[in-house]
Amino acid sequence: MQRLQNILLWNLMAAVIVLGQAKPNEELKLQSSNGMKSDCVGNLMRLSLDKALAVGNQLEVEAINGSQHIVLTPSLAAQCGYSMESDPWGNTRIYTSLMGCYVDNNEDKTFNVGLRLRLYRLSKSDIVSHDVKQTCSYSRWASREILCDRNYMEVSNYMATSEAEAKGQQTQDIKDDTLNIIPDASAAANDIWKITFYTPEPVSMVLREAQQAGYGAMTTSNRLVVRSPYTTAETTSENVAGIPMEVLRVSTYYKSRRGLNIMNLAAACPTGGVLFTDEVISWHIPRRVTPLLDGSFKIVEMHMGINGQRLEKSQMAARGYTLSVRDFHIVIEIPMGSPDGYYKSHAPDNQYHITYSVEPMLEVLWKADKTQDDIRYKVLFPITTPLTPLPPEDKDNTVLEDRMFSVNLGTFLYDVVLRNITFFTEILTVEECNARGFTVREYSFPNRTKRFSVEVPFDADVVMKSNPELLVTVYDLPLVFGFIILPDETQFTHPVNLQASLRDVVLPSLTGTCDQSRFYIIAKYGSRGPNFRTMVGSRQLTPETAEVYSMQGNDTHFHLVVPYTAEDSVFETITSDSVRARLDILLLAPNNNWVLGDLYLTCNFPLMTTNCYPNGTITALAVKVESVPNLVLSSLTLKDKSCKPLFSNDRFAYFSFNADSCGTTRTFFDHYMLYENVIGLHSNKPMHYSPFNRGYRQTVSCFYVVNETQTVTFSYKPRSSEPAAEIGSGQLIVQMRLAQGKVKLCSFQGLMLINNFFFFFFSSNWTPPDSSYELFYQAEDYPVVKYLRQPLYFEVALMQSTDPQLELILENCWATLHEHRTSLPSWDIIVDTCENGDDRHVTIFHPVVNDARVTMPSHIKRFSVKMFTFTRDEEVLKDELYVHCDAVICDVNSHIEGTCRGQCVHPTDVTKSEPQEIKGTKRDRRSTASSHSHHKQLSSGPIILLNTQPSE
């Protein structure tokens, strides 16, 4: 953030004048009972004015220089070492540098500061003056002192008084009686001849020219002082450790007994470095201010202060302040809302915002390791947070029974005043509102915030009334609150719309319950009696339907009993054992069809829509649901369109079929065998759907448990029926193994780039493992190490099964860089039971025959693939591969198409083109789940690629 308030504000305006206790020409030392206080804060004198003096007045400050009184204009104040800070309410602090122009300096040890404060309202003829004199003692001067105040930066340096002390200073003997002098200044200033500014180009001025440009320069008995306002032509903006700073570099020529001396001075003051969060303000100052420090140094002292006054560690801890040194910065942290600062309201673009302001101070004493010179660095840095929106919250507390609008509005800071309220008829002040019976209150809280409340009766003439419904009155109260922000009386508004609805009569009410087969409806008449029409579903209740639904009533209510299968109910959804039905009841006004009461009663009723019998018979009940209103149930069929309902009406259709007929499918999963069919509109003609004619689909499922093992006991007693074994279950185990082989040398053959991946191809002679696949890698052998293009021999086997009716088929196999089977990139090895036609090096299937180890060749599949790796931009992505397979166990007696037709029985055309799937995605794998197959997923351990080839 930019440095705030670089220009001194000397004129203060406020709302009220309080000057009863002010005494003209009163001389103050440390404290005063009339709202002024002066004290010494290091190398500054501070004068504090309470708002009781400044409110309602303009303030003019004069420097007392002997018998003279010099008006301190903003430019002269910056040139001579005076600054002022004032909050919006008139609390004011005036700072004077002890090295200022009009300070009585006694050997740089005792300083007498005199100020005259002139306060007046509209005319200077009515002026009240206050003279303030303060004596400060300060002798802890460092070799070099840098002061960064709000409107100027000041540097003073000790001047050598002997040859020994003058070491390092340039000296030249010169005699010149025409040196420029400062008018009305002490004789010490006459010793300065000229000043050279570095911007970075040198710009030289004699003393008078520098003063006319707004700079200050003087000598005391021991020190040379240079002062510059901010953002002058001869100062520069630099970034030091990420912090923006204003920098002044000068060479000052001054005359001494030894001749003409040259002293190089520099000052650097931060103009930013503040970070804000909702909780903390963090001020960062460079730990090494490079324009001031050369070489190594150490921090001797470091202090934090507020409003120019140092704080003790206990004071900092009590306020939650921290001062720390980090690698590149000194950091001061101040909690947001600290009592040393203040909040202020703002209203840009008629929107309420707040800011928080605080004025920290940093004082650091550095000591150079090489010269042992010390530098005192003091910064006064007012901080104001950015505008933070704080939209007022309006809480509607209206109680209908009281017929009174009530609204609370807030939260605001204490500087916000409610001036008026705009109604749709007129604008009333707060006093006028209370006189009219509209209660307006203000609530103040200890944290200096406030809220407002307003109460307006429904029947007041400022309330708008309307009747959008026969039985309802709507009351509207639009309000616009008019606020001002003190002390500058900035205006802003905030609209609030209040609305309330009152029913003038008691409306009829509907309630309902359900049992296993019926809806029970009760309608209470309310204050209008039975003066309404009753709609049951889409039909009006007539005497005939009332008799059907067993309607009974009296003077207060009536009730109906409606079966869920009645014509006026609708079916929403169905499951295998229930149906969800809904009954809609509407009570309508007789003349304009306004709805006086409604009830949409939905209940679940038991209904077995699917029955599964042990002999394989399946029955299903299709129900006409609300989402397909135009459905003709007699047109429904099973998957086999010849399987139609045995009977149907306008609500139900009944099917009965065997599990091996009508297109029923069978699927194995977990411990179940699932038979499924679908009831729907299976037509050869295309369907034209619309919101009023949607498709119908009802899945019929029967589960048969196949994993239960039943124990059959023997008994010598006669049985009433023959025993029958129940269906049992077991696990089918499939194993994938990598066979061992011998390696020979290979030679580089070629390189191919596909989709940003490079594939390397080699030619070699390999000795395959023995044809019986007798030797396999064990779990402890992984990861298995292979060379590029060395064949990998895999065997996938169905274990522990002797069923000759089963056959194992490899559906898909692929390789990945990572262990997870779905990770990317990947490359297909087997696709849809066949080798990958897009691979130049085709996967080879090896025959399996009966031998001493293999008794069921149909339970084993063998294939080999040459070792490869994934690369991108000629670099190997990873030296590991994982191989994964999807295996399918098929019923050899089935004659279905798909995976179970055999291992690559109908291979697709093999193009032997360059690979096209190297982007990290595999081609989609078709699902082969059916009633004649069972899926298994397998993965190998990691296979590592070596960078060198085996020797011959």
Side-chain angles (χ1 to χ4, degrees):
M1 62 173 286
Q2 293 184 348
R3 187 179 182 87
L4 301 176
Q5 301 186 11
N6 287 337
I7 299 176
L8 211 57
L9 301 178
W10 294 96
N11 293 327
L12 301 177
M13 296 297 297
V16 181
I17 179 169
V18 181
L19 292 175
Q21 298 179 359
K23 296 180 181 179
N25 303 316
E26 181 175 4
E27 185 175 310
L28 302 178
K29 293 301 181 182
L30 292 178
Q31 298 233 3
S32 174
S33 61
N34 65 355
M36 290 189 295
K37 172 187 173 182
S38 62
D39 56 358
C40 304
V41 286
N43 56 357
L44 292 169
M45 190 279 282
R46 179 177 64 179
L47 173 61
S48 301
L49 281 78
D50 187 81
K51 63 182 178 181
L53 280 180
V55 165
N57 292 275
Q58 296 189 46
L59 171 65
E60 186 177 85
V61 182
E62 297 177 348
I64 301 175
N65 185 25
S67 61
Q68 296 181 334
H69 295 79
I70 298 92
V71 177
L72 293 174
T73 63
S75 59
L76 183 60
Q79 183 178 15
C80 284
Y82 296 85
S83 69
M84 185 169 71
E85 177 76 7
S86 178
D87 67 23
W89 300 275
N91 297 299
T92 303
R93 292 181 301 278
I94 301 173
Y95 294 89
T96 303
S97 170
L98 299 185
M99 290 294 172
C101 295
Y102 307 109
V103 176
D104 181 17
N105 185 336
N106 185 10
E107 299 295 329
D108 291 339
K109 295 180 180 179
T110 304
F111 306 86
N112 298 308
V113 181
L115 295 175
R116 170 169 290 183
L117 308 182
R118 295 162 54 86
L119 294 99
Y120 61 92
R121 296 192 69 186
L122 300 177
S123 173
K124 290 190 177 181
S125 61
D126 184 19
I127 294 179
V128 177
S129 298
H130 299 268
D131 286 357
V132 178
K133 294 183 179 180
Q134 178 70 49
T135 299
C136 294
S137 298
Y138 186 74
S139 59
R140 297 180 66 249
W141 296 101
S143 300
R144 177 169 296 181
E145 298 256 348
I146 292 97
L147 173 63
C148 299
D149 210 332
R150 296 153 195 76
N151 53 330
Y152 67 87
M153 46 186 168
E154 174 185 284
V155 54
S156 70
N157 205 91
Y158 179 75
M159 293 188 303
T161 58
S162 64
E163 292 297 332
E165 291 178 335
K167 182 180 181 181
Q169 296 186 8
Q170 302 180 35
T171 303
Q172 178 180 355
D173 292 330
I174 184 171
K175 295 182 178 179
D176 190 349
D177 296 333
T178 61
L179 295 177
N180 294 281
I181 63 174
I182 302 176
D184 302 325
S186 65
N190 297 338
D191 294 335
I192 297 176
W193 172 41
K194 71 174 182 179
I195 301 173
T196 299
F197 299 87
Y198 298 95
T199 63
E201 298 298 325
V203 177
S204 295
M205 302 181 188
V206 296
L207 179 60
R208 179 173 299 173
E209 293 173 333
Q211 290 174 337
Q212 291 174 347
Y215 299 98
M218 60 182 289
T219 60
T220 68
S221 59
N222 297 301
R223 305 186 72 81
L224 175 65
V225 184
V226 176
R227 191 179 299 107
S228 170
Y230 290 104
T231 63
T232 61
E234 283 70 42
T235 60
T236 60
S237 297
E238 299 182 15
N239 191 295
V240 181
I243 307 300
M245 303 193 80
E246 192 80 6
V247 179
L248 173 70
R249 293 184 177 89
V250 297
S251 292
T252 305
Y253 297 77
Y254 66 97
K255 186 180 179 182
S256 69
R257 292 189 302 272
R258 299 183 306 278
L260 184 65
N261 290 347
I262 303 175
M263 183 177 292
N264 298 321
L265 300 175
C269 296
T271 59
V274 182
L275 300 177
F276 302 100
T277 68
D278 292 340
E279 305 295 334
V280 177
I281 298 173
S282 300
W283 178 28
H284 294 69
I285 305 94
R287 181 173 178 269
R288 172 191 288 273
V289 183
T290 51
L292 311 179
L293 298 170
D294 292 327
S296 60
F297 66 94
K298 63 181 177 180
I299 296 177
V300 180
E301 295 181 14
M302 187 169 61
H303 305 278
M304 176 197 172
I306 291 292
N307 300 330
Q309 179 67 53
R310 285 185 186 181
L311 295 178
E312 301 295 335
K313 291 184 179 180
S314 59
Q315 295 173 308
M316 294 174 57
R319 292 168 169 84
Y321 300 153
T322 61
L323 173 62
S324 60
V325 179
R326 302 180 185 176
D327 292 342
F328 302 101
H329 300 98
I330 299 171
V331 181
I332 290 178
E333 292 184 330
I334 301 174
M336 194 73 72
S338 165
D340 290 320
Y342 62 89
Y343 280 103
K344 183 71 180 72
S345 298
H346 307 270
D349 300 325
N350 201 42
Q351 302 297 314
Y352 186 59
H353 292 67
I354 64 172
T355 59
Y356 175 74
S357 299
V358 68
E359 184 186 321
M361 180 197 75
L362 173 68
E363 187 175 342
V364 183
L365 181 64
W366 291 298
K367 182 178 287 294
D369 291 343
K370 183 177 181 181
T371 63
Q372 294 300 305
D373 290 339
D374 53 357
I375 301 176
R376 190 180 308 278
Y377 187 64
K378 187 173 184 176
V379 185
L380 282 72
F381 198 81
I383 296 173
T384 297
T385 63
L387 288 170
T388 301
L390 187 65
E393 296 181 357
D394 48 271
K395 183 178 181 182
D396 189 351
N397 296 322
T398 300
V399 179
L400 295 178
E401 292 77 4
D402 296 340
R403 300 183 61 84
M404 179 78 70
F405 283 113
S406 177
V407 61
N408 281 350
L409 184 64
T411 300
F412 300 95
L413 296 181
Y414 57 95
D415 57 351
V416 173
V417 176
L418 175 62
R419 272 289 176 89
N420 54 51
I421 302 176
T422 301
F423 301 90
F424 85 99
T425 56
E426 56 193 324
I427 301 176
L428 300 177
T429 65
V430 173
E431 294 76 13
E432 292 171 336
C433 288
N434 287 317
R436 291 274 294 271
F438 314 149
T439 304
V440 181
R441 295 187 179 93
E442 178 180 309
Y443 302 92
S444 298
F445 303 101
N447 62 353
R448 306 195 73 187
T449 61
K450 62 174 62 174
R451 296 179 66 89
F452 301 94
S453 70
V454 178
E455 293 180 351
V456 179
F458 283 1
D459 298 328
D461 57 359
V462 296
V463 178
M464 296 186 293
K465 306 171 184 66
S466 61
N467 297 100
E469 299 179 23
L470 176 64
L471 307 177
V472 175
T473 300
V474 176
Y475 299 88
D476 286 289
L477 180 60
L479 303 172
V480 179
F481 291 86
F483 299 96
I484 63 169
I485 299 174
L486 297 179
D488 51 2
E489 298 194 1
T490 302
Q491 301 181 10
F492 71 99
T493 60
H494 180 75
V496 175
N497 290 315
L498 302 177
Q499 187 179 83
S501 298
L502 281 180
R503 295 181 180 271
D504 298 329
V505 297
V506 178
L507 293 177
S509 62
L510 289 165
T511 57
T513 59
C514 304
D515 62 10
Q516 297 294 304
S517 60
R518 297 175 183 85
F519 296 100
Y520 297 90
I521 307 298
I522 299 177
K524 294 184 179 181
Y525 297 146
S527 61
R528 291 180 57 92
N531 186 25
F532 50 78
R533 293 185 297 116
T534 303
M535 301 294 295
V536 181
S538 60
R539 298 188 303 167
Q540 183 172 337
L541 186 66
T542 64
E544 292 77 17
T545 54
E547 183 177 356
V548 173
Y549 294 153
S550 304
M551 179 177 176
Q552 295 181 6
N554 55 27
D555 294 337
T556 60
H557 69 278
F558 72 83
H559 64 83
L560 301 174
V561 180
V562 182
Y564 84 91
T565 57
E567 178 182 353
D568 294 314
S569 70
V570 294
F571 297 141
E572 292 183 338
T573 59
I574 58 173
T575 65
S576 61
D577 59 359
S578 67
V579 60
R580 187 168 70 193
R582 191 184 74 247
L583 183 66
D584 302 338
I585 306 292
L586 293 178
L587 305 181
L588 304 178
N591 299 324
N592 47 26
N593 287 332
W594 278 333
V595 177
L596 306 180
D598 56 30
L599 176 66
Y600 303 94
L601 182 58
T602 301
C603 297
N604 289 323
F605 298 94
L607 177 66
M608 294 299 297
T609 59
T610 302
N611 287 289
C612 308
Y613 298 97
N615 63 354
T617 300
I618 300 174
T619 63
L621 186 66
V623 178
K624 185 174 183 179
V625 291
E626 183 183 26
S627 60
V628 193
N630 296 329
L631 175 66
V632 178
L633 293 173
S634 61
S635 63
L636 295 175
T637 69
L638 296 169
K639 282 185 178 180
D640 186 342
K641 292 185 289 294
S642 64
C643 296
K644 299 180 179 181
L646 295 182
F647 68 88
S648 63
N649 56 23
D650 58 347
R651 306 298 302 272
F652 302 98
Y654 179 78
F655 293 85
S656 179
F657 57 96
N658 291 328
D660 58 353
S661 66
C662 296
T664 307
T665 61
R666 181 184 66 183
T667 304
F668 293 97
F669 70 95
D670 295 335
H671 306 302
Y672 298 93
M673 181 168 57
L674 170 66
Y675 290 93
E676 280 190 328
N677 210 318
V678 177
I679 300 174
L681 297 172
H682 302 287
S683 174
N684 294 326
K685 297 180 181 180
M687 290 292 295
H688 299 284
Y689 297 106
S690 73
F692 304 101
N693 182 26
R694 301 175 182 174
Y696 183 93
R697 179 184 177 87
Q698 179 178 338
T699 301
V700 180
S701 302
C702 282
F703 293 84
Y704 291 89
V705 180
V706 297
N707 69 339
E708 292 184 355
T709 302
Q710 300 292 337
T711 302
V712 180
T713 61
F714 173 78
S715 175
Y716 63 90
K717 295 182 180 180
R719 301 179 64 92
S720 59
S721 61
E722 292 296 327
E726 295 290 336
I727 298 176
S729 67
Q731 292 187 349
L732 297 178
I733 301 175
V734 179
Q735 182 183 53
M736 180 168 69
R737 296 189 293 178
L738 178 63
Q740 299 183 18
K742 299 179 180 179
V743 182
K744 290 190 177 181
L745 280 177
C746 62
S747 61
F748 177 74
Q749 187 178 24
L751 173 69
M752 179 166 57
L753 172 64
I754 304 166
N755 294 332
N756 287 332
F757 288 89
F758 281 94
F759 276 76
F760 295 89
F761 297 99
F762 296 80
S763 62
S764 64
N765 294 320
W766 300 88
T767 300
D770 58 281
S771 59
S772 62
Y773 273 72
E774 289 185 352
L775 300 176
F776 295 89
Y777 291 104
Q778 302 303 313
E780 58 269 19
D781 299 327
Y782 287 91
V784 174
V785 179
K786 293 291 182 179
Y787 296 97
L788 197 62
R789 289 206 64 217
Q790 181 178 358
L792 306 174
Y793 291 87
F794 291 94
E795 179 183 274
V796 182
L798 173 61
M799 310 297 291
Q800 301 176 3
S801 175
T802 58
D803 189 351
Q805 305 301 318
L806 300 180
E807 181 178 8
L808 182 139
I809 302 295
L810 295 179
E811 183 185 24
N812 295 293
C813 294
W814 65 98
T816 64
L817 282 179
H818 307 285
E819 184 175 2
H820 198 279
R821 58 192 290 112
T822 61
S823 61
L824 297 176
S826 65
W827 181 250
D828 287 328
I829 297 172
I830 296 175
V831 180
D832 292 338
T833 75
C834 295
E835 63 270 18
N836 183 4
D838 291 335
D839 198 339
R840 292 181 55 189
H841 304 281
V842 180
T843 301
I844 300 175
F845 289 98
H846 298 282
V848 182
V849 297
N850 279 303
D851 57 22
R853 189 172 66 86
V854 179
T855 58
M856 293 289 177
S858 63
H859 292 188
I860 298 176
K861 289 295 183 288
R862 294 169 176 167
F863 68 95
S864 62
V865 62
K866 293 183 179 180
M867 182 66 181
F868 67 96
T869 186
F870 293 90
T871 62
R872 179 188 287 120
D873 299 331
E874 301 185 13
E875 293 184 5
V876 175
L877 294 179
K878 195 176 181 182
D879 59 359
E880 288 186 0
L881 285 180
Y882 292 82
V883 178
H884 316 273
C885 285
D886 286 338
V888 182
I889 301 171
C890 298
D891 183 355
V892 298
N893 295 323
S894 66
H895 301 289
I896 63 174
E897 292 297 316
T899 303
C900 287
R901 68 182 183 272
Q903 192 73 53
C904 200
V905 174
H906 303 292
T908 56
D909 293 336
V910 178
T911 61
K912 298 298 185 292
S913 63
E914 298 294 326
Q916 299 297 319
E917 297 263 343
I918 318 296
K919 290 184 178 181
T921 58
K922 301 191 297 296
R923 54 179 56 86
D924 293 338
R925 313 192 188 283
R926 295 195 297 267
S927 174
T928 58
S930 72
S931 60
H932 302 278
S933 64
H934 187 72
H935 270 70
K936 289 290 185 180
Q937 297 178 340
L938 308 101
S939 298
S940 75
I943 304 171
I944 296 180
L945 171 70
L946 288 184
N947 293 327
T948 57
Q949 303 300 324
S951 58
E952 288 289 354

